[in-house]
Amino acid sequence: PTDNQKTYELISKGNTVGVFQLESAGMQRLSKDFKPNKISDLAAIGALYRPGPMDLIPMFIKGKKDPSKIEYVDPAVKPVLEETYGILVYQEQVMNIAHDLAGYTMGEADNLRRAMGKKNKEYMAKEKTKFVTGAVKKGLKKKVADEIFGFMEKFASYGFNKPHSACYALIAYWTAYMKANFPVEFMTALLTAELQGAAGPAKEQKMSQAIEECKKMGIKVLPPDINKSKETFAIEDNNIRFGLSAIKNVGGAA
């Protein structure tokens, strides 16, 4: 289920080592500050945590914590921007505003989104006239239509692809769900995955980080034992038994 309380609590505490997309120090901090409680929140923080849009994160957090502080360029854009607390996060929001407020077809709206992303000034000047004319026809005042177009232009280059964000958010949620609800199984799988990953110092660092995370979670990592260890990490009495192939200079072949 995508509304599992334990999962969102784990994310909101920043306990996201091993969680897809959320394990960097910056994402852990953002998860703690923002306290996501639905998939769309995870999608949005993934889209915002990039150079450029990162500047919008404080406004995003403020809007989430207190909806009365959300500022819309005009009430007309509220239906499109409500899920992202008044901030334009996705390319599809540019398209929806053009479609809903100025009568663009979705094909025309996609061309507008592309031109805004590339900052094509000549094309944009023509599009502004078209957008404002269409919006006035649909009942908006010219001044308001100008403001909305300016708002879109300002943020369009930051726009991210929403389906991409949603897919990433779902995988992040799934991994957090496993960690929150099946911690020993999850950490055993994580240690085994790190063991089978890239070689060298990076691998050792990842393994150490995962073992340290087990300690924080109150999960014992039992030492290697010739009679009890498997080849990789394994569950033993709700603890994790160290895998023989993880011993330095032993490896899978031995």
Side-chain angles (χ1 to χ4, degrees):
T2 54
D3 59 353
N4 181 257
Q5 198 55 40
K6 277 173 86 172
T7 304
Y8 290 111
E9 280 171 15
L10 177 127
I11 295 168
S12 298
K13 286 175 183 168
N15 297 336
T16 50
V17 170
V19 175
F20 179 72
Q21 268 229 310
L22 302 177
E23 68 175 339
S24 72
M27 278 304 246
Q28 286 181 31
R29 217 167 32 245
L30 178 53
S31 297
K32 279 200 270 194
D33 289 345
F34 185 63
K35 305 205 182 320
N37 59 359
K38 49 185 186 284
I39 294 281
S40 59
D41 285 347
L42 294 177
I45 62 175
L48 285 169
Y49 196 75
R50 297 175 296 126
M54 282 177 99
D55 296 342
L56 306 174
I57 287 172
M59 285 167 67
F60 191 73
I61 291 170
K62 190 168 81 169
K64 162 87 172 167
K65 286 182 176 170
D66 184 357
S68 68
K69 298 258 168 68
I70 299 172
E71 292 174 17
Y72 295 101
V73 61
D74 187 83
V77 300
K78 186 179 176 182
V80 177
L81 301 182
E82 198 164 16
E83 73 162 313
T84 50
Y85 311 105
I87 291 166
L88 204 158
V89 175
Y90 302 117
Q91 295 169 353
E92 288 79 4
Q93 288 174 310
V94 172
M95 294 168 64
N96 287 334
I97 290 170
H99 175 266
D100 297 353
L101 270 57
Y104 277 57
T105 66
M106 287 311 271
E108 290 168 337
D110 192 35
N111 289 336
L112 173 66
R113 170 202 61 81
R114 202 176 293 125
M116 281 184 165
K118 289 179 180 171
K119 299 193 187 302
N120 183 333
K121 287 186 181 175
E122 200 178 315
Y123 185 85
M124 290 309 301
K126 288 181 196 165
E127 284 300 312
K128 184 173 183 181
T129 306
K130 179 179 172 179
F131 180 89
V132 171
T133 306
V136 168
K137 265 189 198 168
K138 291 197 94 175
L140 284 180
K141 289 182 177 163
K142 183 181 179 303
K143 182 173 177 287
V144 170
D146 278 333
E147 270 180 41
I148 292 171
F149 191 86
F151 171 81
M152 286 161 67
E153 219 171 355
K154 183 179 173 187
F155 294 113
S157 58
Y158 293 163
F160 201 68
N161 176 292
K162 189 178 183 181
H164 186 85
S165 287
C167 293
Y168 271 32
L170 196 55
I171 299 169
Y173 176 85
W174 285 341
T175 49
Y177 178 91
M178 293 298 172
K179 187 175 183 182
N181 292 279
F182 306 97
V184 178
E185 290 85 348
F186 180 84
M187 292 309 295
T188 306
L190 180 65
L191 280 159
T192 299
E194 300 300 9
L195 172 63
Q196 292 163 354
K203 175 177 175 171
E204 286 174 21
Q205 189 186 345
K206 286 273 195 183
M207 296 280 293
S208 298
Q209 186 187 34
I211 290 168
E212 192 55 41
E213 184 68 2
C214 288
K215 283 183 193 167
K216 281 186 197 166
M217 293 166 72
I219 299 167
K220 279 186 189 168
V221 178
L222 305 170
D225 184 302
I226 195 70
N227 295 308
K228 294 178 179 176
S229 288
K230 309 283 187 212
E231 182 184 343
T232 60
F233 292 87
I235 297 169
E236 186 183 308
D237 300 329
N238 224 30
N239 303 311
I240 301 173
R241 177 66 70 180
F242 205 89
L244 292 177
S245 63
I247 301 167
K248 202 164 185 175
N249 301 324
V250 175

